[in-house]
Amino acid sequence: MEQNLPKFESVFSIDCVIFGFENGELKILLIERNEEPFKDWKALPGYIVKQDESLDDAAERILYELTGLRGLHMEQFHTFGDVDRHPQGRVITVAYYALLRLNGQKELKPLSAIAKTAFWHPVNELPKLGFDHSEIFKTGFNKIRRRLGYQPIAFELLPEKFTLTQLQSLYEAILNKKLDKRNFRKKMLSYGFLKELDEKQKGVSYRAAKLYKFDRRKYSKIFQNELNLDS
Amino acid sequence: MEQNLPKFESVFSIDCVIFGFENGELKILLIERNEEPFKDWKALPGYIVKQDESLDDAAERILYELTGLRGLHMEQFHTFGDVDRHPQGRVITVAYYALLRLNGQKELKPLSAIAKTAFWHPVNELPKLGFDHSEIFKTGFNKIRRRLGYQPIAFELLPEKFTLTQLQSLYEAILNKKLDKRNFRKKMLSYGFLKELDEKQKGVSYRAAKLYKFDRRKYSKIFQNELNLDS
DNA sequence: ATAATATAGTGTAGTTTCTACACACTATAT
DNA sequence: ATATAGTGTGTAGAAACTACACTATATTAT
């Protein structure tokens, strides 16, 4: 730090709100803390940014160290900076979210001693979280809901090939309300960015559903005008 | 700062993107800097957060010190934290925006020596700004456009009593496109949160238009369900 | 083979919202 | 009285949204 800037004793952290979807249930990634403050509490994966890394890089690194997950596309959604939000001093935190396909394969394994464990927890009936993490989660969840209306985020939560029923139940989980099956399908298909595959669901004990794929290229073609708000 | 937290040499700042509307033109508040770096450049009003103030408080104070404006309702919209965004060290900045009625009355007068002057500038043909402020502005402008669709932000930019034509030209300035007069009026009035007054525009050399008022109470009644995403 | 079960997949009619579009009205200035 | 400049209004066609119920098909059990 050079001369001109005043000293400011502060810490910068990142907290991550990571959503996953499995068995028709929306889940969030939590850790159990192994360090004071809030030792043994449940909390969002989060830690301190290093001097020479960008926020986005820090988010990726921290998530990896605390949960073993990496390569997610994370986006910041809010910065929390109340003076007393951290019991040990001034800590300003930038909250990020990401969405992740859960296929039971991905192992959660904290590399750092800060987290005892990392685990998925249904977004309903969340336990009390350390710090102001309950509020951070709530803010993040609301952002996601909003974004669901104008960005193709649902597909990040589903496997590459999915059925329309799975897609619908994801929407229902995020929006927390029932949708009409026929209208939902009609609308989704009318957008034109879902590609019907020649394949069907396997391993179910009833009529197998057709599988679909999200066609990102078609999506961007269709919505390039809408998103292109830069004048 | 207590013992447990690692030292992090950093500075926290706030930058403000303040929109105003006057004579059918959308403007933004800039300062001319009187300090290195970027001395004599134009920039967004922004400065460093103090140790013991919250982000929201800092935003309000900094705007006041650099421009003489206060009491605005400001909201953060993004945090910029690239390692090299500031030439003198690690400075992470939280960007805020606000909207303001311009009636020519409000005087701009920097109290701090950091700003030589503060002035309004049309959002079109913006000059080059110091730091990454051009990017910050662009991000903020896009947020505003989005928000215009689902939040009653336009009314913060208009005088308390306004005509439908003024309202429309504000929408056109923000969205940067022409709207159909009849459809615009039909839609706005159909929401039911505009209160028609028994008063008309004065001082124009043509048929005077009816004045309207935004009825915030009606608005919140109508939209309480929509906004109430908290489950 | 047959039946039971569990989910997939499909269409329509009524309603609401969106879009495109043109002219008469009124206050002021000359 | 007339020119000017912006106000204020309606409608028809298209598109999107809503509510709603039954048949089709794969699997499993008998």
Side-chain angles (χ1 to χ4, degrees):
Chain A
M1 181 78 38
E2 278 111 73
Q3 65 289 6
N4 297 25
L5 294 171
K7 274 266 158 23
F8 182 74
E9 294 267 316
S10 72
V11 171
F12 238 108
S13 68
I14 300 283
D15 286 302
C16 304
V17 180
I18 312 293
F19 292 92
F21 186 65
E22 206 174 29
N23 307 327
E25 211 177 18
L26 194 62
K27 299 183 178 174
I28 186 187
L29 183 55
L30 296 178
I31 62 166
E32 195 172 4
R33 288 177 58 86
N34 200 21
E35 241 189 30
E36 292 295 349
F38 294 103
K39 183 161 153 60
D40 302 325
W41 283 58
K42 289 163 180 72
L44 298 174
Y47 205 62
I48 294 169
V49 177
K50 287 183 183 166
Q51 187 74 42
D52 58 351
E53 72 189 339
S54 74
L55 298 176
D56 291 354
D57 292 347
E60 168 134 13
R61 173 185 61 79
I62 289 167
L63 182 67
Y64 178 58
E65 289 179 2
L66 294 188
T67 69
L69 291 179
R70 65 175 146 181
L72 307 201
H73 172 71
M74 295 173 64
E75 248 175 84
Q76 72 163 251
F77 64 87
H78 198 80
T79 297
F80 296 81
D82 281 355
V83 173
D84 56 358
R85 60 167 294 281
H86 194 292
Q88 292 179 319
R90 186 79 197 266
V91 180
I92 293 170
T93 197
V94 181
Y96 276 71
Y97 79 74
L99 305 163
L100 177 64
R101 325 168 193 280
L102 290 188
N103 41 22
Q105 260 56 301
K106 291 209 172 91
E107 206 184 349
L108 297 177
K109 188 199 290 176
L111 311 180
S112 143
I114 293 144
K116 225 178 291 182
T117 58
F119 58 97
W120 293 103
H121 194 286
V123 295
N124 302 319
E125 349 124 18
L126 268 201
K128 209 174 250 180
L129 302 181
F131 307 99
D132 52 356
H133 286 186
S134 296
E135 189 198 341
I136 294 177
F137 162 73
K138 216 166 99 179
T139 304
F141 199 11
N142 282 336
K143 291 265 172 173
I144 292 277
R145 281 180 182 151
R146 267 262 133 74
R147 225 164 276 203
L148 188 64
Y150 58 89
Q151 298 259 294
I153 59 176
F155 307 100
E156 297 178 35
L157 285 162
L158 291 173
E160 203 196 352
K161 301 171 182 183
F162 52 84
T163 70
L164 291 179
T165 302
Q166 285 164 354
L167 182 59
Q168 181 177 347
S169 83
L170 172 54
Y171 269 78
E172 291 176 341
I174 296 179
L175 299 174
N176 196 28
K177 67 176 174 191
K178 283 274 161 208
L179 302 172
D180 179 87
K181 182 156 95 167
R182 279 179 284 191
N183 294 336
F184 180 82
R185 285 161 178 246
K186 214 183 316 169
K187 196 166 157 195
M188 275 298 153
L189 293 173
S190 78
Y191 290 137
F193 53 62
L194 291 183
K195 190 168 165 189
E196 185 180 331
L197 302 176
D198 279 336
E199 231 176 309
K200 300 208 161 174
Q201 217 177 6
K202 290 223 168 85
V204 290
S205 71
Y206 45 81
R207 176 179 177 180
K210 271 185 228 162
L211 291 170
Y212 290 79
K213 223 169 134 172
F214 174 61
D215 186 335
R216 191 165 294 276
R217 280 193 32 207
K218 263 195 197 142
Y219 175 85
S220 8
K221 227 179 236 168
I222 297 168
F223 291 102
Q224 65 187 351
N225 297 326
E226 277 214 23
L227 299 177
N228 191 11
L229 289 170
D230 308 332
S231 44
Chain B
M1 182 75 36
E2 275 110 76
Q3 63 289 6
N4 297 24
L5 295 172
K7 273 267 160 15
F8 183 72
E9 293 267 315
S10 73
V11 170
F12 237 107
S13 68
I14 300 282
D15 286 302
C16 305
V17 180
I18 312 293
F19 292 93
F21 186 64
E22 208 174 26
N23 307 327
E25 212 177 19
L26 194 61
K27 300 182 177 175
I28 186 186
L29 184 55
L30 296 179
I31 61 167
E32 195 174 2
R33 288 179 58 86
N34 200 21
E35 241 190 28
E36 292 295 350
F38 294 103
K39 183 161 156 58
D40 302 325
W41 283 57
K42 290 164 180 70
L44 298 174
Y47 204 63
I48 294 168
V49 177
K50 289 184 181 165
Q51 186 74 43
D52 58 351
E53 71 188 341
S54 75
L55 298 176
D56 291 354
D57 292 346
E60 169 136 11
R61 172 185 62 78
I62 289 166
L63 183 66
Y64 177 58
E65 289 179 1
L66 294 187
T67 69
L69 291 178
R70 64 174 145 184
L72 308 202
H73 173 71
M74 295 173 61
E75 248 175 84
Q76 72 161 252
F77 66 85
H78 199 79
T79 297
F80 296 82
D82 280 356
V83 172
D84 55 359
R85 61 168 294 282
H86 193 293
Q88 292 180 320
R90 186 79 196 264
V91 180
I92 293 169
T93 198
V94 182
Y96 276 72
Y97 78 75
L99 306 163
L100 176 64
R101 326 168 194 283
L102 290 188
N103 41 24
Q105 261 55 300
K106 293 212 171 89
E107 207 185 349
L108 297 177
K109 189 198 290 176
L111 311 179
S112 143
I114 293 144
K116 225 178 293 183
T117 57
F119 59 95
W120 293 101
H121 194 286
V123 296
N124 302 319
E125 347 123 19
L126 267 201
K128 209 175 251 182
L129 303 180
F131 306 100
D132 53 356
H133 287 187
S134 297
E135 188 197 341
I136 294 177
F137 162 74
K138 214 166 102 181
T139 305
F141 198 11
N142 283 336
K143 290 266 172 172
I144 293 277
R145 282 181 181 148
R146 264 264 134 77
R147 224 165 276 203
L148 188 64
Y150 58 89
Q151 297 260 291
I153 58 176
F155 307 99
E156 297 178 36
L157 285 162
L158 291 173
E160 204 197 350
K161 301 170 182 181
F162 52 84
T163 69
L164 292 179
T165 301
Q166 285 165 355
L167 182 60
Q168 182 178 345
S169 83
L170 173 54
Y171 269 77
E172 290 177 342
I174 297 179
L175 300 175
N176 196 27
K177 68 176 174 191
K178 283 276 162 204
L179 302 173
D180 179 87
K181 183 155 95 167
R182 278 179 286 193
N183 293 337
F184 180 81
R185 286 163 177 244
K186 216 183 314 169
K187 197 167 158 193
M188 275 298 152
L189 293 173
S190 79
Y191 289 137
F193 53 62
L194 290 183
K195 190 166 166 191
E196 185 180 331
L197 302 176
D198 278 336
E199 230 176 312
K200 299 207 160 174
Q201 215 176 7
K202 290 222 167 86
V204 290
S205 72
Y206 45 81
R207 175 176 178 182
K210 272 187 227 160
L211 290 171
Y212 290 80
K213 222 168 132 172
F214 174 60
D215 187 335
R216 190 166 294 276
R217 279 191 35 205
K218 262 193 197 143
Y219 175 85
S220 7
K221 224 178 237 169
I222 297 167
F223 291 102
Q224 65 188 350
N225 296 327
E226 275 213 24
L227 300 177
N228 191 12
L229 289 169
D230 309 332
S231 46

